[in-house]
């Protein structure tokens, strides 16, 4: 608590303080710092329950939301796919996160567990921050929505992470087979003596 005023007045610049204050009242600066999030919220709300249809969103077609292809892709999903589509999108991400946790729990070594839990944490944090940005609950900091936002380095890192998680799963079986083979070799050596 003691450091907050020092950080607020000495570390943060005026623009950064304005971004935080605008977050609590987007309508206070609708053409400035609140513009992007306000437009994103309007696009999400305009999709209603079932959405306008794929490639049928008028706000998306007009480019009303800046950076709608990467940072604000969730607002595109909200407008074109509606609430149901957003739930499905988040459900798919949740299934992937659960797969990471399941692989972590079944890993035979600590490194595999840490890799899977780390990738799970990365997915969860990116998803929460991106959706929070689009809903106006968190400040805009440029975090993409995993596997849906465009962006070369982000997507490459995500695919690399999925590969690592699946490698942990595959090596789990190899470790079990090696253990089984070692018992067979020990049993054969004992039988020969």
């Amino acid at each position: 608590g003691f450091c907050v005023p020092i950080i607020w007045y000495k570390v943060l610049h005026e623009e950064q303080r304005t971004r935080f204050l605008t977050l609590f009242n987007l309508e206070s600066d609708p053409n400035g710092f609140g513009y992007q999030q306000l437009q994103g919220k309007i696009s999400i709300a305009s999709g209603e329950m079932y959405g306008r249809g794929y490639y049928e969103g008028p706000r998306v077609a007009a480019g009303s939301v800046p950076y709608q292809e990467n940072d604000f892709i969730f607002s595109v999903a909200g407008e074109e796919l509606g609430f149901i589509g957003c739930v499905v999108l988040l459900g798919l991400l949740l299934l992937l996160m659960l797969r990471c946790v399941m692989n972590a729990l079944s890993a035979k070594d600590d490194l595999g567990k840490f890799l899977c839990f780390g990738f799970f944490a990365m997915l969860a944090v990116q998803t929460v921050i991106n959706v929070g940005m689009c809903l106006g609950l968190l400040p805009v900091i440029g975090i993409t929505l995993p596997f849906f936002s465009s962006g070369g380095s982000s997507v490459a890192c995500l695919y690399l992470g999925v590969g690592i998680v699946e490698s942990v799963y595959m090596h789990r079986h190899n470790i079990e087979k090696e253990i089984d083979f070692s018992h067979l070799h020990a049993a054969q050596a004992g039988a020969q003596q």
Side-chain angles (χ1 to χ4, degrees):
F2 172 72
C3 295
V4 172
I6 294 170
I7 292 172
W8 184 259
Y9 290 108
K10 299 293 183 186
V11 176
L12 295 177
H13 300 291
E14 182 65 31
E15 178 180 327
Q16 293 168 326
R17 289 192 297 261
T18 305
R19 279 184 182 267
F20 275 110
L21 293 175
T22 304
L23 180 64
F24 298 112
N25 187 8
L26 294 175
E27 289 80 15
S28 68
D29 191 13
N31 293 322
F33 289 109
Y35 179 78
Q36 192 171 8
Q37 286 182 302
L38 195 58
Q39 295 302 318
K41 284 173 66 173
I42 292 170
S43 287
I44 291 170
S46 71
E48 298 176 352
M49 184 61 76
Y50 301 105
R52 304 284 182 135
Y54 193 58
Y55 284 117
E56 299 294 326
R59 295 181 53 76
V60 171
S64 297
V65 181
Y67 305 107
Q68 64 188 9
E69 67 280 354
N70 45 29
D71 291 357
F72 276 77
I73 194 74
F74 192 73
S75 65
V76 174
E79 182 176 4
E80 293 185 351
L81 305 176
F83 178 76
I84 302 294
C86 288
V87 168
V88 169
L89 184 147
L90 293 174
L92 291 172
L93 287 170
L94 183 62
L95 284 174
L96 181 61
M97 288 182 228
L98 289 175
R99 174 67 185 221
C100 293
V101 170
M102 297 297 288
N103 285 356
L105 296 175
S106 67
K108 296 297 181 190
D109 60 339
D110 288 340
L111 178 62
K113 289 179 184 179
F114 294 146
L115 288 171
C116 291
F117 279 130
F119 188 65
F120 161 77
M122 185 176 92
L123 287 175
V125 167
Q126 283 187 352
T127 302
V128 167
I129 290 175
N130 185 276
V131 172
M133 286 182 342
C134 292
L135 295 175
L137 301 173
L138 296 171
V140 178
I141 56 174
I143 301 290
T144 59
L145 186 65
F147 297 108
F148 290 95
S149 299
S150 71
S153 60
S154 174
V155 173
C157 288
L158 290 167
Y159 282 125
L160 179 66
V162 168
I164 290 171
V165 168
E166 290 304 308
S167 176
V168 168
Y169 180 75
M170 289 175 57
H171 283 88
R172 174 191 65 104
H173 293 297
N174 291 342
I175 290 171
E176 287 176 357
K177 288 178 184 175
E178 288 173 13
I179 292 170
D180 290 339
F181 288 133
S182 66
H183 291 297
L184 289 175
H185 292 302
Q188 288 176 351
Q192 291 176 353
Q193 293 176 353

